[in-house]
Amino acid sequence: MKDSFGRDIYYLRMSVTDRCNLRCVYCMPENCEENMSEKEILSVDEIAQIVSCAAACGITKVRLTGGEPLVRKDILEICRRVSDTPGICELCLTTNGILLPQFIDKLQDAGVTRLNISLDSLDPVTYKKITRTGTLDAALRGIYAALEAGFLAVKINAVLMGGVNDNEIRELLELTRKFNANVRFIEMMPIGETADWAETRFVSVSRVLELAPELKEIGSEGVAQLYMLPNGIGTVGLISPISSHFCPTCNRIRVASDGKLKPCLHSSDEIDLRGLLGKALEDTIKRAIFEKPRKHTLDDGEISHSLKNMNQIGG
Ligand code: SAM
Ligand code: SF4
């Protein structure tokens, strides 16, 4: 359905847990003792009800995210219920990849068609520094498993951090010569853990084009501008939430794992869906879509007003 500014809102990002098997420095505190208990996060039934009512409001695409969605024991049941929902045409999942090898076939059977996998570094020491608890080998095993499994699309997401991984831009984009994947560079957003980071940590995606002027623009996909290297087989995506303002074409709403709907990533507005069923749930989602803010606070040079950390929202 259209919101009050005429934008078509058809995409729901559903966070299924705030827990994670990694502790990325830009996303989660190192000692995260505030994770919700199993009883506090949305149950499979609650997720299915929300997705069904969202579909009745015109949502056709769902992304499951977290925290790390694959740490949820019932993730496959969630995938099945969501992909079986009438009106939902596309089910995507965002993961850090660590648990992918054991899930890969089952995810496809459960209806997941597209995977986004986070990989901020190809250097084992830097990867460990960023994720605090992860190993590069495990993440790469997940990526290889996804590439072999034949999903409709595999995207590899790297958040750019000045002085941390911006020296690896070339190496990361060279992956598109070897693999038919979409390697996407994402500008880090000042939210939660990164709200007070030094400005030097924020790297514009234009840096990728400076370092690789041979990249040829081939169009856009969602919020990403797409490019290809000469002789590349995959594509390179640039996502610039900071340097360009994509609020006018925003197409999404988010639901956090505590059942709060966020009409805008950087707004403090949260609408509690918990306890609502049927028409009441559908009407609440409809109203939230219609009243989605025109733009977020970062567009005015302000800080994010989000009340949640990224691991609670899902990116
Ligand atoms: N655990 C999964 C993963 O890492 O892919 C899914 C959840 S994670 C919160 C979703 C995405 O948000 C990841 O691609 C991550 O890199 C991104 N993200 C987290 N914090 C961010 C920030 N401050 N700025 C930009 N992207 C961020
Ligand atoms: Fe976990 Fe993903 Fe956040 Fe990293 S970015 S801490 S993998 S939720």
Side-chain angles (χ1 to χ4, degrees):
M1 67 172 267
K2 299 241 192 267
D3 71 3
S4 63
F5 300 101
R7 295 171 297 193
D8 191 16
I9 310 300
Y10 60 86
Y11 176 18
L12 165 64
R13 295 179 67 102
M14 182 96 223
S15 172
V16 297
T17 179
D18 61 344
R19 289 176 185 260
C20 189
N21 46 355
L22 301 184
R23 289 285 180 279
C24 301
V25 287
Y26 51 71
C27 178
M28 260 179 115
E30 184 164 15
N31 301 309
C32 194
E33 278 143 24
E34 290 166 15
N35 283 139
M36 290 186 292
S37 69
E38 270 183 35
K39 278 194 203 122
E40 288 171 301
I41 56 174
L42 292 172
S43 67
V44 182
D45 283 339
E46 286 174 312
I47 291 171
Q49 280 151 10
I50 290 171
V51 170
S52 166
C53 288
C57 300
I59 296 292
T60 56
K61 170 179 174 180
V62 175
R63 173 173 306 283
L64 300 178
T65 175
E68 174 50 42
L70 299 183
V71 301
R72 245 190 103 144
K73 291 188 202 85
D74 49 9
I75 186 64
L76 293 170
E77 196 187 342
I78 295 173
C79 292
R80 249 177 257 119
R81 296 278 295 273
V82 173
S83 65
D84 283 348
T85 306
I88 299 302
C89 312
E90 216 181 315
L91 174 59
C92 320
L93 184 129
T94 301
T95 170
N96 57 37
I98 302 288
L99 297 172
L100 261 184
Q102 69 204 64
F103 273 104
I104 204 82
D105 297 336
K106 296 178 203 119
L107 285 174
Q108 272 184 321
D109 291 345
V112 176
T113 51
R114 291 168 194 269
L115 283 179
N116 285 13
I117 308 170
S118 295
L119 182 76
D120 300 321
S121 173
L122 289 166
D123 176 82
V125 177
T126 309
Y127 184 87
K128 168 72 95 195
K129 204 167 123 192
I130 295 171
T131 62
R132 293 196 181 105
T133 57
T135 64
L136 177 64
D137 268 358
L140 289 177
R141 275 198 294 275
I143 289 175
Y144 296 143
L147 289 169
E148 277 167 19
F151 282 86
L152 273 183
V154 175
K155 295 180 180 166
I156 299 175
N157 289 337
V159 175
L160 287 174
M161 280 163 280
V164 180
N165 66 351
D166 54 343
N167 59 337
E168 293 190 56
I169 290 173
R170 169 55 69 183
E171 216 181 322
L172 284 161
L173 58 86
E174 288 291 331
L175 291 175
T176 65
R177 284 197 212 276
K178 277 200 276 179
F179 303 115
N180 184 12
N182 178 215
V183 174
R184 310 194 310 169
F185 295 94
I186 304 173
E187 288 174 350
M188 190 175 65
M189 289 179 277
I191 176 171
E193 288 301 292
T194 54
D196 56 2
W197 278 24
E199 269 193 26
T200 48
R201 291 278 184 239
F202 295 89
V203 178
S204 162
V205 288
S206 61
R207 185 82 190 115
V208 178
L209 297 176
E210 281 165 25
L211 290 171
E214 72 275 30
L215 280 171
K216 191 166 171 287
E217 191 164 357
I218 55 165
S220 61
E221 190 192 16
V223 290
Q225 283 304 118
L226 290 186
Y227 300 80
M228 274 186 100
L229 283 173
N231 306 321
I233 52 171
T235 53
V236 174
L238 302 185
I239 303 181
S240 49
I242 305 296
S243 63
S244 51
H245 303 166
F246 40 57
C247 300
T249 54
C250 188
N251 56 13
R252 61 199 62 187
I253 53 171
R254 295 170 168 83
V255 174
S257 47
D258 61 358
K260 303 269 180 19
L261 187 155
K262 279 179 72 71
C264 171
L265 175 58
H266 295 294
S267 158
S268 59
D269 288 356
E270 295 188 344
I271 298 140
D272 199 354
L273 301 181
R274 247 201 166 137
L276 299 175
L277 285 169
K279 185 154 170 19
L281 180 54
E282 192 180 315
D283 286 348
T284 304
I285 297 174
K286 224 173 246 166
R287 200 165 50 246
I289 292 178
F290 191 71
E291 291 173 1
K292 198 175 145 62
R294 184 163 69 87
K295 60 177 181 167
H296 57 56
T297 47
L298 298 186
D299 273 11
D300 296 325
E302 274 187 58
I303 56 162
S304 177
H305 290 186
S306 174
L307 304 173
K308 289 184 159 58
N309 254 348
M310 275 302 229
N311 68 303
Q312 299 168 307
I313 307 169

